[in-house]
Amino acid sequence: MSRERILAAARAALGRSGNPDAGAIRAEAARLVAGADRGRPPRSGTLTERFIERLTDPKVGGTVEQVASLSGLPGAVRAYLFTHNLPASIALPPDPALTALDWAGIATHHRIATDEPVAVGLAACGIAESGSLVFHSAPTAPTLHNFLPLHHIVALDTAKLLEWLEDYATGPACGGRAQPRNVNIVTGASGTTDIEGRLVRGAHGPGFLHVVLFAGG
Amino acid sequence: MRANQPNFAARVDAALASPTLKTAIDRTTGTAERNRARAVAAWPDFQAARDLGRDIRAHVVNNIDHYLVEFERNALATGAKVHWASTSEDACRIVVEICRAAEAKSVTRSKSMLGEEIGLPHALEAAGITRVETDLAEHIIQLAGDPPSHIVWPALHKTREQVKELFAASHRDPGAMEDVESMVQAARRELRAKFMAADVGISGANFLVADTGAVCTVTNEGNAELTTTPPRVHIVTAGIEKLVPSTTHAMALLRLLVRSATGAELTQYTTFHTGPKQPGDLDGPDEFHIVLVDNGRTNMLADGLAEMLRCIRCGACLNHCVVYRNIGGHAYGGTYPGPMGSVLTPALDGLPAARDLAHACTLNGSCQEVCPVRIPLPTLLRGWRDRSWREGLEPSSVRTALGLWKFVATRPWLYRLATAAAVRGMRLFAKRGWIEAMPLAGGWTRHRGLPAPSGGTFMQQYQAQKRKAR
């Protein structure tokens, strides 16, 4: 009832007599975003340099290190836990790419606790423009792993770095039935400015975000 | 949510008399203004991006019937349930019915101005459902029993000392709270278990993506995803104007939204929610409901306010408004304060109740200069003034005063005489360049000084310049 009322009111206000021309509307929408550089911020440096520069900007608050390949991830995690005086126990999503690694010396578990100290994950891709990580929910990638831990350590394949936000939007993972239930675009550590405008980290999501870049190829 | 005093002038008086409000407003809006300026300065083509933002939003508003149907079709295909609500009452009834069907005792909510607009907090309480606000600012004002005073920072009227008192009185484990950091930690501890225990999570939507049926939310805290992931049911309440054609269009608008709101390039968490839990998913809701709310929006489209439907709720117009920065959000009396609120509230609550808001504006144009989608806010405000005059809503004192002003202003010799006398008269009351008290100016000088005229009248200065030029 409300549906018909709202659509009729919208059509009357727009002065439509018949059904809207879907093809013409789609063409106009596509034209708006067709100009390659229309509405995009400036850029400099290589893709990886741009990603690192954005991620480590104080406003974003991420930290980063580079390893040769994904097999270097457990070593980087061990060093991180040691440096930050954290227990040798991590939440790890049931992703075969991660579980197959050699986690000797670190206890791993799939079920994440409400106040988990450390979780380690694998990003689906990265976006250089904003220093963002993209996560897709899946049986091997639960959403809560990205939000419950205090420290979030994320591996990212540099071959999966994209230039612009739109490059992700028009890529194969976005749109159609292939779209995962949740696409989480994570840009740095959780923060809030809700008390007197002061930036404080670790509001509800991770207070620390550490990215381990590797060359997957 | 409505402020306590029924009348605008009384609410403004109360705001101006507050010893802490101006400081509290300045701390947050001042930071936001500086950060936005820095972000815009780093992007030489920002004006072109604003043009694109305006064009995308105008395209959606002009084809809103098409995009509503497309969004519905694609959302249904993802397994979402789509509900339509003409009024705020319809919307609240739908949400409460979904909660009752889910036998919900506890509901977590991620900040949504649409939720405030339709009175959802009150409707949930009336239905006996425990409501947990999860955005830090919403948590603060829920404890205080206050309405929001800003669309991005709803608790900006609270000082840290006031927040500490609220947390100390209500949190199970508040700790010492010696600084803002430890207050944020106290809220994190307090809300953690509540996120996981909720039966239903309710969020708003920053964008509804027509070609995928996805709902986009943005937060910096991460509370939206902790609200929408653990419970069995996720309900989205969204205004029908939130549509975008595709994810690509959403990305172009996200760049503008975040820079204009906080000066960051992107919010910490930007999430596209598409339907319920998929086969094999280890978390996520079993049911995903989207409530599309009109509540006056199609009327705005018919009544010459289509441009206002472009608004993406960044709050930049509030942060740059000299009136907002003096009186704060509660004085406006509606859900939405500042310039955008002064245009929206008469459309939502009716012009007779909100007539004063169109006058709470100096027409300095700052709001229009910073609006990421180029809404001509001063023009729309003048439209409400005009309509209020034509509908006879202006009180007789205003009509008489304007009649008098017209009589003087249409006789240049009299106007010059009157302004010259006023300048001389005002100087009699000035001390060191400021007027602290003067007959007929009590409304101004009660709470702040009035600058004394430094030179002569405009015409006197103009004539002097001309003489010099000769």
Side-chain angles (χ1 to χ4, degrees):
Chain A
M1 210 167 61
S2 277
R3 180 187 190 275
E4 305 321 318
R5 200 181 308 146
I6 292 169
L7 288 173
R11 284 175 184 149
L14 294 169
R16 284 219 210 274
S17 45
N19 279 333
D21 180 350
I25 293 170
R26 250 179 240 125
E28 189 183 313
R31 256 198 317 279
L32 285 172
V33 287
D37 288 329
R38 193 180 178 208
R40 289 181 188 181
R43 56 179 172 167
S44 63
T46 67
L47 202 55
T48 306
E49 283 167 358
R50 281 198 287 283
F51 175 79
I52 292 174
E53 192 205 320
R54 296 317 317 146
L55 175 71
T56 55
D57 184 279
K59 278 187 288 185
V60 178
T63 53
V64 70
E65 70 176 282
Q66 289 178 277
V67 297
S69 69
L70 186 57
S71 60
L73 179 65
V77 170
R78 253 178 240 116
Y80 185 94
L81 297 177
F82 180 78
T83 312
H84 292 82
N85 201 19
L86 291 162
S89 169
I90 57 167
L92 196 70
D95 182 336
L98 293 173
T99 52
L101 298 172
D102 177 9
W103 293 102
I106 303 175
T108 65
H109 51 276
H110 295 322
R111 225 189 139 76
I112 192 157
T114 305
D115 49 1
E116 188 75 44
V118 188
V120 175
L122 182 62
C125 61
I127 300 170
E129 168 189 354
S130 50
S132 305
L133 302 163
V134 182
F135 297 93
H136 292 163
S137 64
T140 53
T143 302
L144 286 175
H145 279 239
N146 306 328
F147 294 92
L148 284 174
L150 185 60
H151 293 259
H152 196 199
I153 305 174
V154 182
L156 171 65
D157 182 348
T158 50
K160 294 194 171 160
L161 268 177
L162 302 168
E163 179 74 64
W164 303 110
L165 289 161
E166 287 89 344
D167 296 337
Y168 174 73
T170 53
C174 193
R177 295 297 97 76
Q179 179 140 327
R181 178 185 61 77
N182 252 203
V183 174
N184 304 124
I185 304 178
V186 174
T187 311
S190 159
T192 180
T193 52
D194 277 348
I195 303 177
E196 296 189 351
R198 267 271 302 281
L199 175 66
V200 178
R201 292 290 173 200
H204 292 301
F208 305 88
L209 177 73
H210 185 66
V211 177
V212 180
L213 288 172
F214 67 94
Chain B
M1 299 280 277
R2 297 289 170 264
N4 294 329
Q5 293 91 344
N7 138 334
F8 178 69
R11 291 194 301 266
V12 169
D13 262 347
L16 292 174
S18 162
T20 53
L21 183 63
K22 180 88 169 65
T23 310
I25 298 168
D26 275 343
R27 279 180 185 161
T28 301
T29 57
T31 307
E33 189 180 9
R34 280 190 299 279
N35 288 347
R36 178 195 171 276
R38 222 171 286 148
V40 170
W43 186 354
D45 282 342
F46 190 70
Q47 301 311 323
R50 288 176 67 207
D51 289 341
L52 177 60
R54 174 199 57 203
D55 295 349
I56 292 173
R57 295 295 301 142
H59 166 78
V60 168
V61 172
N62 289 334
N63 297 290
I64 195 161
D65 53 340
H66 165 79
Y67 283 117
L68 278 168
V69 173
E70 187 187 358
F71 174 79
E72 180 193 41
R73 185 176 59 242
N74 289 318
L76 289 172
T78 67
K81 294 197 169 68
V82 179
H83 311 260
W84 300 68
S86 286
T87 63
S88 54
E89 292 79 19
D90 289 349
C92 288
R93 185 177 40 75
I94 292 166
V95 173
V96 168
E97 276 170 12
I98 298 168
C99 291
R100 287 213 173 112
E103 295 175 7
K105 290 182 186 64
S106 169
V107 166
T108 42
R109 213 168 76 92
S110 172
K111 183 174 97 66
S112 146
M113 288 312 296
L114 187 275
E116 300 290 333
E117 175 193 318
I118 61 176
L120 188 54
H122 178 74
L124 290 169
E125 261 153 39
I129 299 164
T130 304
R131 168 177 65 99
V132 180
E133 295 292 342
T134 63
D135 171 76
L136 178 62
E138 291 281 347
H139 173 60
I140 293 168
I141 62 172
Q142 183 179 23
L143 294 179
D146 286 352
S149 65
H150 190 291
I151 62 170
V152 176
W153 293 277
L156 69 61
H157 58 285
K158 290 283 181 217
T159 62
R160 73 180 77 180
E161 292 81 9
Q162 292 169 319
V163 172
K164 183 178 171 176
E165 264 175 49
L166 285 169
F167 286 5
S170 67
H171 283 182
R172 286 161 304 171
D173 175 22
M177 296 191 291
E178 274 152 5
D179 50 22
V180 175
E181 281 76 7
S182 52
M183 291 176 210
V184 173
Q185 292 314 310
R188 182 183 174 106
R189 280 194 303 276
E190 177 73 15
L191 290 170
R192 210 100 190 122
K194 295 183 177 174
F195 277 123
M196 305 309 285
D199 304 301
V200 173
I202 304 179
S203 75
N206 290 90
F207 301 109
L208 304 169
V209 185
D211 74 343
T212 63
V215 172
C216 175
T217 61
V218 303
T219 73
N220 287 317
E221 299 179 5
N223 61 307
E225 295 75 6
L226 287 172
T227 297
T228 62
T229 312
R232 283 178 287 118
V233 179
H234 174 193
I235 307 173
V236 179
T237 56
I240 54 171
E241 84 285 12
K242 291 283 174 186
L243 289 155
V244 288
S246 73
T247 314
T248 302
H249 296 83
M251 296 301 194
L253 291 169
L254 280 166
R255 282 196 191 101
L256 288 167
L257 169 66
V258 185
R259 281 176 175 83
S260 302
T262 66
E265 266 98 49
L266 202 59
T267 37
Q268 260 81 2
Y269 303 105
T270 306
T271 290
F272 291 87
H273 310 259
T274 312
K277 187 192 271 186
Q278 293 180 1
D281 276 357
L282 299 178
D283 53 21
D286 298 321
E287 290 175 37
F288 184 63
H289 297 266
I290 302 164
V291 186
L292 299 171
V293 184
D294 181 344
N295 198 33
R297 284 157 177 77
T298 50
N299 288 340
M300 288 172 66
L301 195 58
D303 282 352
L305 286 169
E307 287 159 316
M308 193 60 220
L309 293 172
R310 296 208 295 258
C311 179
I312 54 174
R313 308 286 193 265
C314 70
C317 63
L318 280 63
N319 301 335
H320 291 75
C321 174
V322 288
V323 177
Y324 178 87
R325 288 181 68 156
N326 275 285
I327 65 174
H330 292 156
Y332 288 83
T335 302
Y336 303 98
M340 54 82 76
S342 296
V343 176
L344 278 173
T345 307
L348 296 172
D349 296 354
L351 186 55
R355 179 198 69 80
D356 287 303
L357 298 182
H359 299 283
C361 172
T362 65
L363 296 179
N364 71 7
S366 296
C367 50
Q368 185 173 345
E369 278 170 34
V370 297
C371 177
V373 290
R374 297 193 188 278
I375 299 172
L377 289 157
T379 307
L380 298 178
L381 279 169
R382 270 198 301 269
W384 281 125
R385 288 185 187 182
D386 182 44
R387 193 159 149 188
S388 175
W389 180 269
R390 280 188 284 111
E391 292 182 5
L393 297 172
E394 296 298 316
S396 58
S397 57
V398 171
R399 290 189 168 262
T400 310
L402 273 174
L404 197 65
W405 183 83
K406 183 183 164 192
F407 180 83
V408 178
T410 48
R411 290 163 179 81
W413 63 270
L414 184 57
Y415 189 84
R416 281 172 210 169
L417 201 69
T419 47
V423 165
R424 273 196 300 276
M426 286 170 80
R427 287 219 191 97
L428 294 177
F429 295 94
K431 279 181 201 138
R432 286 186 220 94
W434 289 90
I435 297 166
E436 303 293 346
M438 188 175 74
L440 302 176
W444 181 292
T445 57
R446 193 155 50 245
H447 301 293
R448 59 226 192 274
L450 179 67
S454 52
T457 65
F458 173 80
M459 283 311 289
Q460 284 166 351
Q461 294 186 51
Y462 178 69
Q463 298 291 359
Q465 289 280 338
K466 255 186 19 188
R467 276 197 298 277
K468 241 188 352 201
R470 277 195 219 113

